Amino acid sequence: MPRKRYIQAINETLFQEMERDDKVILIGEDVELAIFGDTRGLYERFGPSRIRNTPICEATLTGMAVGMAAAGYRVILHMMFSNFVYTGFDAIANQMTKLRLMTGGQMELPITLIAGYGGGRATAAQHSDSPHPVLMNLGGMNVLMPATPADAKGLLATAVRGRNPSIYLEASGRGGDSGEVPDGEYLVPLGKAAIAREGTDVTIVAIGTMLKPALAAAKKLAEEGISAEVLDPRCLVPLDEEAILASLAKTGRLVVVDEARDRCSAASHIAAIAADRGFADLKAPVKRVAFENVPMAYAPNVEAAYFPSAERIAAAAAGIMTKAKVIS
Amino acid sequence: MNQLANIDTERDRNWLALYENMLLIRRAEERLCAEAQAGTLPGTVHSYIGQEASAVGVCSLLREDDYITSTHRGHGHYLAKGGDLDAMFAEIWGRADGICKGMGGSMHVADVSRGILGANGIVGGGLAISTGAAFGAQLEGKGKIAVCFFGDGAANQGVFMESMNIATAWSLPVIFLCENNGLSEFTVSSQVTGGDLIDRARAFGMFAEQVDGNDVIAVQEVVARAIDHARAGNGPCYVETTTYRIRGHLEAEDLFLGGGRYRTPEEIAAWQTAERDPILRFARRLIEETGLSESDLTAVEEAVAGRVEAAVQFANASGPADVELPRRVTFADQQP
C-alpha cells in the first residue's frame, strides 16, 4: 500500500469524488489556491462551476450550502479554520442540522463542511479551537475526525457520498504526517472505531489528533509493563459506543484524550457513557486528559503546557493502574 | 371559478384568481387567529393579514420549479406558491398529516416539491438559503430563479449585505423581496434602521424598485420585470413592497407587552380602509374594471369559506404526530 501524506490523501479524495459525481460542488474562502493544500489543483481540473472562491462571509456561506443542497447539489464547504465555524454557526445550528426534521424529512442535505482544527502551531486562540463538542451537541450533523491518512480518505469519501450534513475536521497540524492509504475506492463506514494498538490493562480512547500522543503514551506505558489499548473513534457522531465498551470490558480501565476543552467535551461524553453502560466493567475511575477550560495561548511554551501530551496521557493511565479505588 | 359565466377574458380570469388567492390567505389566517386566541393550537401564529397582495402578486408569476424562502410570517407565501391548505392546517395543528408531519408548525411550513424551501423561525434565515438555491439554479442552467421573502426587520441582519454581495458578484438569479411593513417584531423599524433600505441594494448596482405592496397588480408589474431580469441571467434584484401588518407580531401579543404598545389603534385602522386594505381595494377594482359583479365575489367568498372549513376538519381528523419521527427523520439512513 502506498504511503501518502494526510493532506495529500484528502486532496486525492476530493479529486476522486468530484470526478465521480458532477453534482459535487466545492466552495470556500481561498479554495482555488488552497492554503492548506487540500483543494490544490481542483480549480484547474474542474473550473469555476465546480470549485469557487467565495467572499469572506461564513454566516452566509453556511446558509448557502443549505440552499445549494435543496437545489440538488452535493456541497463541500471549506471553512478554512474551525474557529470560523462559529462565525457561520447560525445556519449550521438553526438550518443545516434542523431542516431535515423540521420539514418532516422533505429536505435532503448532503453537505460536507471541512475545517482545519487544533493547536500546536502558535496560531493563538482564534485559529486553534477544536469545536467538535458543540457540533456533537447539535444532534443533526455527523462529526468526523480522521487521525490517519487512510481514514482521511475513507471518511471523506463516505461523507461526500452520504445524505446528511457532516463536519469533517481536518487535523491542521498533521497535514504532513504520512501513512499507508489504499489505492482506488476506499470508504470507511461512519460510526466504526478502529483499534490503533491492542492491549489488555487500560483503554485509551484518543480523539482525532490525540491519536499520535496516545500511541506514544502506550509505548512508554509498555516500557513500564502496562499494556494499553488505543482506540480511535474516528467519528464522534455517530459514535461507536459498542467498540469503546468492548475494549473497556477487556481492560477494565479507561482514559479518554481530547484536544477540546474538558468541560462538556467529547471526553466527558465518553466518560459518561462508560459510567452509565460500562460501570460493571470499571476497575478504576475514568480519567479525562483534555485541554483546560481556558482559550489557547499563543506562546509555544504556554500552549504546550496546556496541551494533552504523551506524558500526561501516560501518567493518567499509570495513575489508575496503581490506585484501584478512590483517586484524589 | 369556471362556474362564473361572465368572465370572458384571460385578464379577468387571472384577476379573479389573484383575488381568490388573497382571500384564501386572509380567511385561512383569520381562522388561525381565532383558533390561536381560543387556545386550540399548540404553538404560536404570526399572521400575514394585510400583506396578502405581496405574496400573491409575486408568486402568481413564478414557475412551479422556482424556489422561494419565506419568513416566520409564512402562511401567505406558502399558499401563494401553491402549498396545500389542508396540509398546512394539519401542520399547524401538529398532526401526522401536516405538510411537515407536525415537525415544523406554523413558523416552518415547507413544501420542497413545490420549491417552497420553508418558512423560517430565524429572522433573515432565508436570505442565504435562497442565495444558495439561486447558485444551484444558475449552475443547473434551466432558468429557475429564487425569491427570498424577508422583512424590514431582517434587512438589518448582516447576512442581507453578505447575500446581496455574493449574489451581485456571481450574478445569481435571486430576487430579494423585502416586504416592508414598518415593524421589526415589537419595535418600529425606523427607530432601529439607518437610511433607506432600497439604498442598500442600490449600493450594489442591482435592479432595485419599490412598489405599493397593497396593490396586487402594481406588485405584479414590478416583479414581472424583476423576474425577466433575473431569469435572463442579468443578476439579482431587490423589490420592496411597502405594506402593513394588521395583526400583532404574533397572536395574543398583549400577553407579552405588559400593557405597553408600539403603535396606535388609529394607525392600524387607517390601513384597514377600503382604500388601503389590499383585498377590499382589489374587490372594488374587480367590480369597476371587469365584468364581475358583487354576487360573483360572494361566490368566491363562499368557496373560500368552504375550503377553510374543510381544512379545519382535515386537521382535526388527522392523527397525532408520530413520536418516533425525530429519531427516524433527523438523519437519512442512520440513527441519530
Side-chain angles (χ1 to χ4, degrees):
Chain A
M1 221 184 291
R3 288 185 71 80
K4 285 173 184 164
R5 286 178 298 118
Y6 182 93
I7 210 73
Q8 185 186 359
I10 294 172
N11 182 248
E12 288 183 12
T13 307
L14 291 173
F15 269 97
Q16 169 192 296
E17 294 307 307
M18 291 183 74
E19 291 281 6
R20 183 180 174 273
D21 182 354
D22 62 13
K23 288 286 187 187
V24 177
I25 306 291
L26 192 155
I27 63 170
E29 294 155 14
D30 304 325
V31 291
E32 292 174 18
L33 283 175
I35 62 160
F36 295 160
D38 48 6
T39 58
R40 192 153 296 154
L42 293 170
Y43 183 80
E44 289 71 18
R45 170 67 186 84
F46 298 103
S49 64
R50 302 282 307 283
I51 167 162
R52 194 178 291 193
N53 282 350
T54 64
I56 301 167
C57 56
E58 295 85 5
T60 289
L61 298 178
T62 48
M64 277 185 71
V66 172
M68 290 165 67
Y73 287 87
R74 290 185 174 275
V75 186
I76 303 173
L77 171 59
H78 200 303
M79 302 204 67
M80 200 182 278
F81 288 97
S82 66
N83 285 72
F84 309 156
V85 164
Y86 305 142
T87 334
F89 201 57
D90 171 40
I92 295 173
N94 280 318
Q95 315 292 347
M96 197 181 291
T97 53
K98 294 200 168 68
L99 286 185
R100 190 176 157 84
L101 175 68
M102 294 186 86
T103 60
Q106 293 180 60
M107 211 176 268
E108 287 280 313
L109 296 164
I111 299 168
T112 304
L113 304 182
I114 298 179
Y117 78 100
R121 290 156 299 127
T123 50
Q126 292 170 345
H127 289 75
S128 59
D129 260 0
S130 297
H132 51 275
V134 69
L135 295 159
M136 289 168 69
N137 189 253
L138 292 174
M141 166 170 271
N142 292 317
V143 179
L144 319 181
M145 296 184 75
T148 67
D151 288 341
K153 174 174 183 171
L155 285 175
L156 181 56
T158 303
V160 173
R161 294 181 195 187
R163 295 174 62 193
N164 300 300
S166 294
I167 179 129
Y168 177 92
L169 289 167
E170 217 174 70
S172 302
R174 297 270 177 267
D177 288 5
S178 291
E180 293 188 336
V181 178
D183 274 328
E185 175 120 337
Y186 179 61
L187 297 167
V188 171
L190 304 187
K192 289 287 173 212
I195 303 291
R197 176 187 174 116
E198 290 198 29
T200 53
D201 294 332
V202 56
T203 299
I204 302 174
V205 172
I207 294 158
T209 48
M210 295 295 99
L211 182 60
K212 197 171 181 177
L215 287 169
K219 208 171 163 189
K220 280 169 61 82
L221 289 163
E223 290 161 10
E224 297 168 29
I226 299 168
S227 168
E229 177 147 298
V230 178
L231 184 144
D232 173 6
R234 303 197 284 190
C235 295
L236 295 171
V237 178
L239 179 64
D240 192 349
E241 295 186 20
E242 302 311 320
I244 295 168
L245 292 167
S247 180
L248 173 59
K250 182 165 79 167
T251 65
R253 296 177 184 86
L254 180 63
V255 175
V256 195
V257 192
D258 193 351
E259 191 181 332
R261 279 173 285 279
D262 179 57
R263 192 182 295 131
C264 301
S265 61
S268 60
H269 176 64
I270 290 168
I273 290 167
D276 180 20
R277 298 186 58 202
F279 188 74
D281 293 318
L282 283 168
K283 297 174 188 163
V286 178
K287 300 307 283 183
R288 306 185 305 275
V289 181
F291 206 82
E292 288 185 41
N293 294 310
V294 292
M296 198 169 285
Y298 165 72
N301 64 312
V302 182
E303 187 180 21
Y306 285 71
F307 222 71
S309 61
E311 291 71 26
R312 281 178 61 198
I313 298 164
I320 51 173
M321 292 305 300
T322 52
K323 298 178 187 174
K325 288 191 177 175
V326 179
I327 289 219
S328 61
Chain B
M1 289 303 101
N2 294 333
Q3 74 273 22
L4 300 175
N6 49 357
I7 299 182
D8 52 7
T9 70
E10 189 181 344
R11 188 204 69 166
D12 290 3
R13 272 194 297 279
N14 289 341
W15 279 25
L16 194 65
L18 295 175
Y19 180 74
E20 181 174 9
N21 286 336
M22 288 198 291
L23 198 67
L24 181 69
I25 296 168
R26 174 71 57 93
R27 297 293 178 251
E29 288 210 309
E30 286 172 347
R31 182 60 179 262
L32 292 175
C33 293
E35 298 280 347
Q37 299 276 350
T40 51
L41 301 179
T44 56
V45 167
H46 301 73
S47 124
Y48 191 65
I49 288 173
Q51 305 184 199
E52 297 90 344
S54 182
V56 170
V58 174
C59 292
S60 64
L61 303 174
L62 295 179
R63 300 187 340 203
E64 185 164 358
D65 63 353
D66 286 331
Y67 301 108
I68 66 165
T69 60
S70 173
T71 71
H72 54 286
R73 203 171 300 292
H75 309 142
H77 306 128
Y78 168 93
L79 291 172
K81 186 66 167 56
D84 182 71
L85 177 66
D86 290 354
M88 184 179 92
F89 270 27
E91 183 62 32
I92 296 168
W93 263 252
R95 302 299 174 89
D97 296 309
I99 188 67
C100 302
K101 301 186 171 70
M103 298 297 114
S106 162
M107 264 195 285
H108 309 100
V109 287
D111 184 347
V112 175
S113 72
R114 294 174 196 275
I116 305 168
L117 303 185
N120 209 300
I122 303 301
V123 172
L127 286 159
I129 295 174
S130 54
T131 302
F135 183 36
Q138 182 188 59
L139 293 172
E140 192 185 43
K142 292 181 181 168
K144 286 186 206 172
I145 65 167
V147 175
C148 174
F149 289 100
F150 67 107
D152 43 312
N156 288 332
Q157 290 272 25
V159 288
F160 178 41
M161 192 285 287
E162 296 182 0
S163 295
M164 284 197 294
N165 176 62
I166 200 164
T168 304
W170 293 2
S171 205
L172 299 180
V174 56
I175 298 174
F176 298 104
L177 200 297
C178 179
E179 299 183 323
N180 187 345
N181 64 18
L183 298 167
S184 299
E185 301 187 4
F186 309 103
T187 298
V188 175
S189 294
S190 61
Q191 295 171 357
V192 294
T193 302
D196 288 331
L197 297 181
I198 194 168
D199 289 337
R200 301 179 186 183
R202 285 181 180 137
F204 288 95
M206 73 172 72
F207 176 113
E209 295 204 23
Q210 200 172 32
V211 62
D212 178 350
N214 282 14
D215 180 343
V216 66
I217 301 302
V219 170
Q220 275 195 327
E221 285 167 359
V222 171
V223 171
R225 283 187 284 115
I227 289 172
D228 287 347
H229 180 96
R231 239 190 256 295
N234 296 320
C237 303
Y238 172 90
V239 175
E240 183 175 329
T241 57
T242 53
T243 183
Y244 191 75
R245 154 162 60 80
I246 299 299
R247 306 286 303 179
H249 169 58
L250 74 171
E251 287 310 297
E253 72 173 10
D254 291 345
L255 295 173
F256 297 89
L257 295 177
R261 66 182 190 188
Y262 54 89
R263 56 181 177 171
T264 64
E266 292 75 25
E267 178 181 305
I268 299 169
W271 284 88
Q272 293 181 290
T273 61
E275 289 73 38
R276 292 180 97 171
D277 178 278
I279 294 174
L280 296 177
R281 258 170 93 167
F282 195 53
R284 190 159 73 182
R285 197 163 169 191
L286 286 173
I287 300 296
E288 289 172 358
E289 297 182 34
T290 73
L292 292 160
S293 66
E294 291 285 358
S295 65
D296 293 327
L297 300 192
T298 303
V300 172
E301 184 78 61
E302 286 168 359
V304 164
R307 288 174 66 186
V308 171
E309 187 55 40
V312 173
Q313 288 178 15
F314 178 85
N316 278 321
S318 176
D322 181 355
V323 172
E324 287 299 316
L325 212 57
R327 296 182 192 114
R328 288 201 284 109
V329 163
T330 297
F331 288 93
D333 304 331
Q334 77 179 65
Q335 293 295 306

